[in-house]
């Protein structure tokens, strides 16, 4: 199949919202108010089948801080709010196409660093982002609420205009139960990851 990526406009938001809800299932999805603010202060990209125009993926980039999202952006930063792929198309690399588009847009807008947050248990998104050059740099214990209620997040960062020079000398492995049950939170892994990040470690690799 052939695909195209284009930016969303106001008329597309209802379709983006519907796909985001479908992609994230029982987890907290994006609100229409957040989508509107993202369109005003950044961009939303849509991945469509070229033959029939079917929307199969979407991603968002924020360029300025907004009250609806609990992250303070620095002037040289782009914040990648989210990427959703239709369940029928997940696991086929389409998220990578949107990730590359996010980078392209952020660089064009003069940003030097990209940041995003995700769940400790979200293996597919974490693997994608690490493969794209992100590192996990901080644990945010109450980004969307308590860890016990699935509110904790990992902060990931990537230098957009240069490749980081990495020297790993002390490697620690942390076992994580990746979505082992509906909405499950691996609190033991949260504690280990939080402590290691607080001690100055970064996460640079993920396997399962």
């Amino acid at each position: 199949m052939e695909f195209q990526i284009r930016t969303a406009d106001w008329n597309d938001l209802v379709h983006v919202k519907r796909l985001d809800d479908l992609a994230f299932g029982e987890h907290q999805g994006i609100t229409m108010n957040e989508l509107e603010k993202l369109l005003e202060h950044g961009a939303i990209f849509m991945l469509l089948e070229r033959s029939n125009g079917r929307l199969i993926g979407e991603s968002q980039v924020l360029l300025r801080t907004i009250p609806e999202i609990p992250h303070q952006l620095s002037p040289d930063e782009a914040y990648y709010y989210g990427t959703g792929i239709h369940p029928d198309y997940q696991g086929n690399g389409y998220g990578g196409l949107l990730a590359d588009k996010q980078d392209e847009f952020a660089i064009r807008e003069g940003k030097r660093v990209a940041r995003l947050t995700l769940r400790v248990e979200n293996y597919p998104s974490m693997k994608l982002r690490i493969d794209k050059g992100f590192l996990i740099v901080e644990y945010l214990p109450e980004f969307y609420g308590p860890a016990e209620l699935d509110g904790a997040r990992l902060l990931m960062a990537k230098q957009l205009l240069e490749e980081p020079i990495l020297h790993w000398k002390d490697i620690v492995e942390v076992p994580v139960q990746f979505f082992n049950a509906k909405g499950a939170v691996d609190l033991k892994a949260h504690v280990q990851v939080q402590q290691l990040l607080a001690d100055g470690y970064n996460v640079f690799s993920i396997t399962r």
Side-chain angles (χ1 to χ4, degrees):
M1 291 182 290
E2 293 186 354
F3 303 93
Q4 63 177 0
I5 298 177
R6 69 169 177 84
T7 54
D9 59 31
W10 293 98
N11 295 324
D12 295 315
L13 293 189
V14 64
H15 305 294
V16 172
K17 175 71 167 66
R18 186 179 300 120
L19 177 59
D20 195 85
D21 290 343
L22 189 62
F24 286 95
E26 73 275 7
H27 298 287
Q28 177 68 38
I30 198 167
T31 67
M32 184 60 73
N33 183 55
E34 287 169 342
L35 284 172
E36 291 171 354
K37 290 297 180 67
L38 280 158
L39 203 58
E40 292 175 0
H41 302 289
I44 300 170
F45 298 103
M46 304 170 63
L47 177 66
L48 306 112
E49 277 192 57
R50 189 179 297 275
S51 62
N52 57 21
R54 185 186 187 192
L55 178 63
I56 65 168
E58 49 85 21
S59 64
Q60 312 111 28
V61 180
L62 184 64
L63 299 176
R64 290 180 291 279
T65 302
I66 61 174
E68 290 77 9
I69 296 175
H71 179 76
Q72 189 74 27
L73 277 74
S74 59
D76 65 347
E77 173 187 352
Y79 182 75
Y80 297 175
Y81 183 73
T83 296
I85 304 295
H86 191 287
D88 292 345
Y89 294 82
Q90 292 175 4
N92 293 295
Y94 300 127
L97 300 177
L98 289 165
D100 291 340
K101 192 67 177 180
Q102 288 175 315
D103 286 350
E104 177 187 311
F105 173 73
I107 292 170
R108 190 170 68 244
E109 292 294 320
K111 303 301 182 179
R112 300 182 63 86
V113 61
R115 292 188 176 90
L116 59 89
T117 61
L118 45 69
R119 299 175 182 85
V120 171
E121 299 82 8
N122 189 347
Y123 175 85
S125 294
M126 199 183 305
K127 179 70 166 62
L128 167 65
R129 295 303 180 173
I130 285 177
D131 287 349
K132 293 295 183 179
F134 279 84
L135 299 175
I136 298 174
V137 297
E138 189 176 347
Y139 179 84
L140 307 173
E142 295 191 354
F143 193 72
Y144 287 120
E148 294 82 359
L149 300 179
D150 198 26
R153 293 294 184 271
L154 296 171
L155 179 67
M156 302 190 76
K158 172 183 179 177
Q159 299 297 320
L160 291 170
L161 300 179
E162 58 189 38
E163 290 291 331
I165 300 175
L166 305 175
H167 299 287
W168 307 116
K169 61 180 181 180
D170 183 15
I171 297 175
V172 178
E173 294 184 353
V174 177
V176 179
Q177 296 295 320
F178 294 116
F179 292 144
N180 58 326
K182 183 177 180 180
V185 177
D186 187 345
L187 292 177
K188 182 178 179 181
H190 279 246
V191 172
Q192 291 179 277
V193 169
Q194 181 177 23
Q195 185 60 58
L196 287 168
L197 291 171
D199 289 343
Y201 286 79
N202 291 159
V203 180
F204 71 97
S205 179
I206 179 173
T207 60
R208 71 173 179 184

